[in-house]
Amino acid sequence: MDWRVRLLGKLMPDNMIVGKSPSQIARLQKPRPHSFLMDLVAGSMKPGVTVEDGVARGGDGHIPVRSYRPTALSGTLPLIVLIHGGGWTVGTLNQYDSMASSIALAADAVVVSLDYRLAPSHPWPAAAEDCYAAFVDVVSRARQWGADGSRVALVGDSAGGNLSAVTAMLVRDRGGPAIALQALLYPATDLTLSSPSVIENATMPVLKRPTLEAYVALYVPDPADRADPTASPLLAEDHAGLPPALVQVAELDPVRDDGLRYAEALQAAGVPVRFTEYVGMPHGYLAFPRFARSATQAFSELVRELRTHLAPG
């Protein structure tokens, strides 16, 4: 294991969620301004983007969104909707400023980041409904950001990868705009926690099994609901007709096999898939570019796939 991954594991608290009360978790959910430590771990906002805060329709009311547009580019650009990670329980727009602004600049696209409702105050299916409703709303208003609503991609990491997969499925089943690519980065797709890697990588850095179990329990408190496709997209009866996918996984991740199994399910249903496993990497590697040696390669792959699928027809 790379020494930087070991260092990252020491910097990431093992008990951030485990054993915390709802009031303690609520304090963790409050948006925090950028700080030296946050930017050291997760990266900072990249210069050269115009950033605007706004709102989009959610599952029950409106949710905050933040757009990122390359300042130097004019005209109509492709649209990328980003759904952040954080175990459905934490995660803020500020924490994803680096990733969102980096994608906007590298892909020559407008990125709109969604700030959905979080558990435990808003358990499943609140986040899924927020992301679906906001995705449809944002695409319908693409011109507001100088974006092309006919060239759209979904990107999500971790819990955001879960919600991106669910959103793509809901768009197929309920109706919505065409999705050129769903980029699922180390996604959790089986909240019954049946993947072998949950046991194999139970004690690896960044995401350990007790933390994963705590996230799932907070998001979907009733175990009977965890097999629902809007919680566990892997367990859907039918994966046909879903958008082309990029699925990236990390070797040292408890949910590694969630991504692998989902990629296999998509391929079996005839969906075009590019699957990559990043050796020696922990969960969340793209969110920690200074600590994960493969982050640059993984980001380049993501941008290449976005550019390919969002190119004018």
Side-chain angles (χ1 to χ4, degrees):
M1 188 185 302
D2 187 82
W3 67 269
R4 287 165 292 188
V5 172
R6 295 182 185 275
L7 176 59
L8 179 62
K10 294 183 180 298
L11 292 173
M12 299 291 291
D14 290 338
N15 59 346
M16 185 171 69
I17 291 296
V18 178
K20 294 290 191 297
S21 68
S23 61
Q24 289 173 316
I25 294 172
R27 286 195 291 271
L28 292 173
Q29 293 173 343
K30 292 180 178 179
R32 298 179 182 179
H34 282 271
S35 65
F36 173 78
L37 183 58
M38 177 192 293
D39 290 350
L40 174 66
V41 175
S44 57
M45 178 84 77
K46 300 300 182 287
V49 293
T50 300
V51 181
E52 294 183 1
D53 287 334
V55 296
R57 185 175 66 246
D60 182 16
H62 288 80
I63 63 170
V65 300
R66 181 173 295 169
S67 66
Y68 309 76
R69 181 187 172 93
T71 306
L73 298 181
S74 59
T76 304
L77 304 179
L79 176 63
I80 298 169
V81 176
L82 174 65
I83 304 179
H84 69 70
W88 310 274
T89 306
V90 293
T92 66
L93 295 177
N94 283 356
Q95 289 173 317
Y96 278 74
D97 277 338
S98 176
M99 182 182 291
S101 58
S102 296
I103 293 172
L105 288 168
D108 290 341
V110 173
V111 173
V112 178
S113 184
L114 310 183
D115 200 18
Y116 51 88
R117 289 173 293 168
L118 298 173
S121 299
H122 302 285
W124 172 87
E129 294 295 344
D130 278 352
C131 290
Y132 167 71
F135 175 78
V136 174
D137 186 32
V138 165
V139 176
S140 73
R141 295 191 287 129
R143 287 188 178 184
Q144 174 181 327
W145 296 284
D148 183 352
S150 68
R151 290 190 289 153
V152 181
L154 263 172
V155 176
D157 74 322
S158 189
N162 167 280
L163 293 168
S164 293
V166 169
T167 297
M169 197 169 290
L170 291 176
V171 167
R172 181 198 64 181
D173 296 342
R174 297 180 182 177
I179 301 170
L181 177 72
Q182 52 174 329
L184 313 178
L185 315 175
Y186 31 89
T189 65
D190 179 3
L191 301 197
T192 69
L193 301 182
S194 300
S195 288
S197 55
V198 172
I199 297 173
E200 179 184 339
N201 291 328
T203 61
M204 291 299 174
V206 180
L207 180 63
K208 293 179 170 55
R209 183 178 179 180
T211 302
L212 173 61
E213 291 173 339
Y215 280 140
V216 170
L218 290 167
Y219 180 49
V220 192
D222 186 346
D225 291 330
R226 294 174 192 167
D228 189 288
T230 59
S232 297
L234 175 66
L235 304 184
E237 292 183 3
D238 183 12
H239 294 93
L242 289 171
L246 166 66
V247 181
Q248 292 184 354
V249 301
E251 181 190 16
L252 307 181
D253 187 354
V255 297
R256 177 196 65 208
D257 293 345
D258 279 28
L260 170 62
R261 294 165 66 207
Y262 198 63
E264 291 174 342
L266 292 175
Q267 290 173 327
V271 177
V273 179
R274 179 180 177 88
F275 173 81
T276 309
E277 178 178 343
Y278 283 93
V279 176
M281 289 294 99
H283 185 83
Y285 53 82
L286 267 177
F288 311 114
R290 291 187 173 91
F291 293 86
R293 68 175 185 272
S294 294
T296 299
Q297 180 183 353
F299 182 77
S300 295
E301 179 185 44
L302 169 63
V303 170
R304 184 172 62 251
E305 290 297 301
L306 287 169
R307 282 183 168 275
T308 297
H309 288 275
L310 292 175

